[in-house]
């Protein structure tokens, strides 16, 4: 997933701000280790990337996204983005 790639590249993910996927370093947490039981890995994807590079989130992810702080039209859970 995107978060795993970030960890492998030693990008700091712990913190309180929301993430911006692809061009920007983000800080995000991963409290449930990618099991879709939290929303701490919430990231905001740039419009072009969201619509052109990513699959639609599934129902489970959408349910958890509804609990995310600062939800936007292009929000995703980082642990679910390949
Ligand atoms: Fe918990 Fe992504 S790490 S839903």
């Amino acid at each position: 997933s995107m978060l795993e790639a970030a960890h492998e590249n030693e990008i700091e993910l712990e913190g309180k701000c929301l993430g911006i996927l692809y061009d920007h370093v983000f800080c995000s947490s991963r409290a449930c280790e990618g099991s879709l039981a939290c929303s701490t890995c919430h990231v905001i994807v740039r419009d072009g990337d969201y619509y052109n590079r990513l699959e639609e989130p599934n129902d489970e992810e959408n349910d958890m996204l509804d609990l995310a702080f600062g939800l936007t039209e292009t929000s995703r859970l980082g642990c679910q983005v390949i």
Side-chain angles (χ1 to χ4, degrees), residues 18-65:
L18 299 177
I20 308 291
L21 187 55
Y22 294 119
D23 287 352
H24 305 275
V25 173
F26 53 89
C27 39
S28 180
S29 185
R30 201 172 179 218
C32 77
E33 298 294 323
S35 62
L36 274 176
C38 74
S39 59
T40 60
C41 61
H42 176 206
V43 295
I44 298 170
V45 183
R46 292 185 313 163
D47 284 6
D49 291 330
Y50 184 91
Y51 295 108
N52 297 324
R53 298 176 70 164
L54 301 178
E55 300 288 323
E56 289 283 313
N58 64 24
D59 290 344
E60 264 187 307
E61 182 180 350
N62 276 325
D63 288 347
M64 197 51 63
L65 273 169

